[in-house]
Amino acid sequence: MADIDIGKRYWLAKPAFQNLLDALRELGYQVVGPTIRDEAIIYGPIERVAELPIGWWDDQEGGRYRLRQAPTDAWFEFVVGPQSLKHYTFPPRQTVLEGNQQADGQWKLTAIKPESPPTAILGVRACDLAALVIQDRVFLGSQYRDESFAARRERLFLVAANCQRAAPTCFCKSMNCGPRVTQAFDMALTEGADGFVVEVGSAAGAAVAERLPLKLASQSQVTQVEQRLAALIEQMSQGSESQTSAEPDSAHHNGCRSQRQLDTAGLRDLLFGNLNHPHWDEVASRCLSCGNCTMVCPTCFCSTVEEVPLLDDSQVLRERVWASCFTSEHSYMASGVVRQTTRSRYRQWLTHKLAGWIDQFGVSGCVGCGRCITWCPVGIDITAEVAALRSPQEIDRSNGHE
Amino acid sequence: MSKSCAATRVSDHNAWLPTEFRIVARRNELADVFTLELAGPEPFRFAPGQFNMLYVPGFGEAAISISSDSDRPERFQHTIRVVGNVTRRLQKFSSGDRLFLRGPFGTGWPIDRCPSRDVVIACGGLGLAPLRPVIYYLLHRRSQFGAIHLLYGARTPRDLLYAEEFAVWQSQGIEVRVTIDRGDESWRGAIGVVTQLMKPLRWRPESTMVLTCGPEVMMRFVAQEALAQQVRPDHVFLSMERNMNCAVGWCGHCQLGPSFVCKDGPVYTYAQIEPFLYVEDL
Ligand SMILES: Cc1cc2nc3c(=O)[nH]c(=O)nc-3n(C[C@H](O)[C@H](O)[C@H](O)COP(=O)(O)OP(=O)(O)OC[C@H]3O[C@@H](n4cnc5c(N)ncnc54)[C@H](O)[C@@H]3O)c2cc1C
Ligand code: SF4
Ligand code: SF4
């Protein structure tokens, strides 16, 4: 369809969805999207619509993730898997510098810029777009520019999908990061019964849209998807699972306990004012210090630079790898490890995420995706820990001078 | 590295790429401490209190303060203690070798806020290294300041860094007082902690700046003594240390409360850092 307008709503019928995959490939993108691997929905190469996990639901709870057949035939009713855009913008291992020793013994150093191909990612959720915008602040927002991040990010084409369903672990609404997609997309899809409402968010998005058999969406098509989204937003605001008005069918009941919420009011000062709260000890008694939460979190950005000698000692790579504040190396100094205890590490993680981030980048570091809850082997729940830290009977009186 | 402290503008230099310098002099300071003097094609401008990331290919990087005179940017120095992998390798470097580094990074000491005030520099061990640029700075402009005190503590008489300069500094208008933890037969000076040297000073608390660097416990005691003398919390400055991998606020290792030591520090006011200074394992 020619003359695509950013801001107008179009309609892509489900049988024409393959055209989107084809158009992206024809324009030179490698296309990745949600696929099922190792009993989870993760990003993988997608060529055909049939490779999408259509008809699957992910049941998520603290420490629990299970795929099961969906009771509906919707395409995007699963939520978020263990991976996020972080894998594409800030991969788990990347080379930042290469050193080569010359014949005269001197070293020649070269900064490495990534050569990732243009990549289209399909089915990105509002929380992950919010996380991307936070990463922009982390890696591009100071006087130093992370060229590797910038290069990878510039080559992404993001096809967002508005969520149809929330897992009980989801609390994007509390964090003001969802469920509606509002930012950072090239193209956004909202699923209806037999097609998608399509919004275009960038010139690159328009270039793809022009190649698709789109029609302007009709009022009833828009109303259909909007009602559903409005019901989801309502459900997430209520903090309990109300039935969606558009889908009274109990099949949409996700069968789990009520929606999580996180009360962010005054949270920064609450956390920094309660660094010796007894609840940190309570969490520490459960936490394994495994670092899973930091790996799955779409905004966690800590890294360590490793010195990797190659073959003989005349070539060396400096590789930046994901790091976790749950390890002792993280706070190692020759004089000793600063954070010796699980208590201090969990406290570092939570206070950084929900409080320190605000000082550092002007926003909370949590988008409410719920991954850290789902993928924590013991089901430690960021929303519950914050609620406990708020509890009046546990007010911290010991903070301050020894 | 030709650009100066890159204070606010976006750097066009790849943040990971070190620049090469020539070692023009090397000297042993103490048994396990040595100083490298470096020069590059252009003057290396820095603010007293800033640090560089020194890089040895095959070994890695280490954050090291700049210990020389910021008014002489043609040559600059790093004073290094051997503690591990990178610093042990750095010890083998000698005059004529090349050395890679990134920097300068971090906040400096508040020298621009010192004029007309008294300045108390209280430090311990290698903590004198990042403060030596301040001493040079003050001496070059001696008439602009009130009383200047250097209170320095070390473990033994043989651990006194830059000891041969003390007499020069004294003669140029700095009151130098030294104390050690453990004396030997020949030691005639004070024995004890640095804070004991603070008490007898004639304090003009409303117009005194206190600058401290050393082990964290020492800095806490120095700060408390300064406060006990009625010095304002935002006139007490500490230089903090944390594990550092990138020095540009990306690696996350150096966090201290809501701040990054590499960007928001290493020099903080006591007022800034106080809520986090006494929290165990932070
Ligand atoms: C702002 C700042 C200024 C410093 N100035 C000086 C100085 O002027 N002179 C000096 O001798 N030392 C200084 N240090 C300490 C110096 O950085 C460490 O001693 C050095 O990194 C140890 O490296 P290594 O490989 O020899 O030791 P290892 O024990 O092998 O260290 C392994 C890694 O741990 C980290 N690490 C270990 N100790 C420290 C530490 N104390 N601080 C930060 N990271 C650490 C580094 O990433 C290092 O590469 C400073 C540290 C900071 C943060
Ligand atoms: S802290 Fe947990 S819920 Fe928040 S963004 Fe990270 S993984 Fe998602
Ligand atoms: S909170 Fe859970 S996921 Fe995070 S380190 Fe502790 S046990 Fe691991």
Side-chain angles (χ1 to χ4, degrees):
Chain A
M1 181 174 175
D3 299 331
I4 295 293
D5 283 337
I6 292 178
K8 284 209 177 117
R9 289 161 177 234
Y10 301 92
W11 181 258
L12 180 66
K14 281 187 176 171
F17 199 82
Q18 182 65 39
N19 294 51
L20 172 58
L21 303 183
D22 296 343
L24 289 167
R25 218 177 13 257
E26 283 159 17
L27 286 168
Y29 296 103
Q30 71 166 22
V31 183
V32 300
T35 53
I36 295 181
R37 205 190 310 157
D38 298 332
E39 294 171 44
I41 294 175
I42 61 167
Y43 286 122
I46 296 273
E47 284 186 18
R48 319 242 12 115
V49 169
E51 292 164 304
L52 292 168
I54 292 173
W56 287 93
W57 271 17
D58 43 359
D59 283 340
Q60 303 198 33
E61 249 309 331
R64 205 180 105 89
Y65 179 97
R66 292 279 183 288
L67 292 183
R68 70 164 150 120
Q69 292 285 339
T72 69
D73 51 13
W75 287 22
F76 286 99
E77 278 192 351
F78 48 87
V79 195
V80 290
Q83 289 182 341
S84 65
L85 293 179
K86 179 165 96 166
H87 287 256
Y88 293 90
T89 54
F90 175 56
R93 180 174 284 270
Q94 57 181 300
T95 304
V96 293
L97 193 78
E98 184 183 314
N100 287 287
Q101 201 167 22
Q102 311 295 294
D104 63 358
Q106 302 299 326
W107 286 85
K108 189 176 180 310
L109 304 183
T110 319
I112 304 295
K113 263 196 129 184
E115 288 171 16
S116 61
T119 302
I121 306 187
L122 198 65
V124 182
R125 305 310 168 95
C127 56
D128 284 348
L129 292 170
L132 181 66
V133 171
I134 293 173
Q135 279 193 322
D136 286 345
R137 295 188 183 219
V138 173
F139 294 130
L140 305 176
S142 76
Q143 73 263 42
Y144 304 105
R145 227 178 106 79
D146 183 341
E147 295 295 346
S148 308
F149 173 84
R152 288 192 173 87
R153 190 200 191 310
E154 276 159 18
R155 281 174 234 166
L156 288 186
F157 183 96
L158 299 172
V159 184
N162 272 304
C163 283
Q164 299 288 299
R165 187 183 141 254
T169 45
C170 295
F171 57 102
C172 58
K173 186 74 178 57
S174 294
M175 303 315 293
N176 245 326
C177 292
R180 186 191 287 277
V181 166
T182 59
Q183 58 184 343
F185 60 88
D186 296 293
M187 200 177 257
L189 310 174
T190 314
E191 187 173 353
D194 48 9
F196 295 89
V197 168
V198 177
E199 289 161 86
V200 172
S202 69
V208 173
E210 278 167 13
R211 296 175 163 244
L212 303 180
L214 298 177
K215 292 194 301 242
L216 273 178
S218 71
Q219 193 53 51
S220 69
Q221 285 164 332
V222 171
T223 308
Q224 180 200 6
V225 302
E226 277 302 321
Q227 275 182 356
R228 184 107 185 255
L229 192 54
L232 179 64
I233 293 169
E234 173 69 11
Q235 171 195 332
M236 298 193 79
S237 322
Q238 296 295 318
S240 67
E241 245 179 321
S242 56
Q243 295 288 305
T244 65
S245 54
E247 298 287 342
D249 178 4
S250 68
H252 272 95
H253 192 280
N254 53 26
C256 297
R257 73 179 168 91
S258 68
Q259 201 69 51
R260 282 168 173 77
Q261 301 277 343
L262 196 149
D263 178 3
T264 58
L267 193 50
R268 182 206 172 273
D269 293 346
L270 177 93
L271 293 177
F272 279 137
N274 282 283
L275 294 170
N276 285 321
H277 195 291
H279 189 68
W280 301 119
D281 291 304
E282 198 285 319
V283 188
S285 71
R286 289 176 284 138
C287 174
L288 311 174
S289 212
C290 69
N292 271 13
C293 47
T294 57
M295 299 294 120
V296 294
C297 179
T299 66
C300 271
F301 61 83
C302 287
S303 61
T304 293
V305 182
E306 292 179 355
E307 193 76 12
V308 183
L310 295 182
L311 300 170
D312 50 14
D313 285 340
S314 66
Q315 199 186 7
V316 67
L317 300 179
R318 284 180 64 69
E319 298 196 336
R320 184 181 177 194
V321 297
W322 285 3
S324 172
C325 53
F326 284 91
T327 65
S328 58
E329 304 88 75
H330 198 77
S331 62
Y332 167 85
M333 291 200 288
S335 52
V337 173
V338 176
R339 291 182 213 108
Q340 296 269 12
T341 60
T342 299
R343 170 187 185 270
S344 62
R345 294 179 197 165
Y346 187 85
R347 179 180 65 190
Q348 168 62 25
W349 182 69
L350 194 85
T351 54
H352 180 219
K353 185 102 334 201
L354 297 173
W357 229 286
I358 294 170
D359 295 60
Q360 294 166 357
F361 308 111
V363 286
S364 169
C366 176
V367 297
C369 72
R371 286 184 178 92
C372 57
I373 305 172
T374 298
W375 295 96
C376 173
V378 293
I380 289 173
D381 178 344
I382 186 170
T383 64
E385 309 321 332
V386 168
L389 288 160
R390 279 190 186 279
S391 85
Q393 63 268 34
E394 284 189 308
I395 291 289
D396 178 12
R397 297 188 200 288
S398 55
N399 198 14
H401 298 215
E402 290 149 329
Chain B
M1 212 61 46
S2 53
K3 69 206 170 302
S4 59
C5 331
T8 47
R9 79 187 178 87
V10 172
S11 166
D12 47 8
H13 184 91
N14 185 300
W16 296 110
L17 186 65
T19 306
E20 198 173 42
F21 290 84
R22 208 161 25 89
I23 298 176
V24 291
R26 180 196 187 285
R27 56 171 287 152
N28 287 320
E29 304 282 0
L30 311 172
D32 56 349
V33 180
F34 60 98
T35 295
L36 299 177
E37 183 163 290
L38 304 168
E42 293 170 59
F44 185 81
R45 295 189 196 284
F46 66 95
Q50 288 194 301
F51 66 95
N52 286 324
M53 296 297 283
L54 273 48
Y55 175 52
V56 186
F59 292 82
E61 288 188 330
I64 306 288
S65 308
I66 307 165
S67 63
S68 54
D69 186 344
S70 57
D71 288 317
R72 303 205 165 154
E74 306 76 33
R75 289 171 165 223
F76 60 102
Q77 296 179 5
H78 286 293
T79 300
I80 305 163
R81 165 163 283 143
V82 179
V83 298
N85 199 24
V86 176
T87 48
R88 197 172 304 121
R89 185 71 191 92
L90 283 168
Q91 194 183 24
K92 300 208 172 75
F93 279 67
S94 50
S95 191
D97 288 345
R98 311 288 174 90
L99 180 61
F100 291 103
L101 62 85
R102 301 185 290 129
F105 297 114
T107 54
W109 298 103
I111 43 176
D112 50 333
R113 293 176 54 196
C114 290
S116 79
R117 297 197 159 107
D118 293 352
V119 182
V120 175
I121 298 170
C123 53
L126 212 60
L128 179 55
L131 279 160
R132 191 168 65 162
V134 175
I135 294 172
Y136 294 138
Y137 180 95
L138 299 175
L139 285 176
H140 290 319
R141 300 158 182 80
R142 182 65 192 87
S143 60
Q144 296 177 16
F145 308 97
I148 305 176
H149 296 276
L150 170 63
L151 313 177
Y152 180 46
R155 268 178 310 169
T156 74
R158 287 157 37 154
D159 294 311
L160 291 169
L161 194 61
Y162 312 137
E164 73 291 346
E165 293 188 67
F166 295 170
V168 182
W169 296 343
Q170 179 81 38
S171 71
Q172 293 177 348
I174 293 190
E175 285 300 320
V176 182
R177 295 279 175 276
V178 175
T179 183
I180 56 161
D181 296 343
R182 261 179 296 119
D184 57 22
E185 322 68 70
S186 60
W187 182 250
R188 300 277 170 273
I191 294 181
V193 292
V194 167
T195 38
Q196 283 170 358
L197 302 178
M198 294 174 74
K199 289 184 202 292
L201 297 185
R202 201 177 305 195
W203 289 89
R204 295 194 305 149
E206 68 293 345
S207 61
T208 298
M209 309 285 264
V210 176
L211 279 46
T212 180
C213 184
E216 237 173 274
V217 273
M218 185 215 84
M219 291 196 285
R220 271 180 246 168
F221 282 120
V222 166
Q224 280 173 3
E225 181 60 32
L227 261 58
Q229 300 289 350
Q230 308 297 322
V231 178
R232 284 168 45 171
D234 62 338
H235 283 180
V236 178
F237 297 83
L238 302 80
S239 184
M240 305 300 291
E241 199 174 287
R242 284 294 181 270
N243 182 305
M244 237 167 239
N245 272 247
C246 75
V248 293
W250 295 340
C251 79
H253 285 264
C254 72
Q255 289 182 78
L256 177 55
S259 74
F260 292 107
V261 173
C262 69
K263 291 199 302 190
D264 307 311
V267 178
Y268 295 86
T269 68
Y270 183 79
Q272 279 177 299
I273 205 78
E274 191 265 351
F276 310 101
L277 198 57
Y278 300 94
V279 181
E280 208 187 331
D281 297 340
L282 196 70

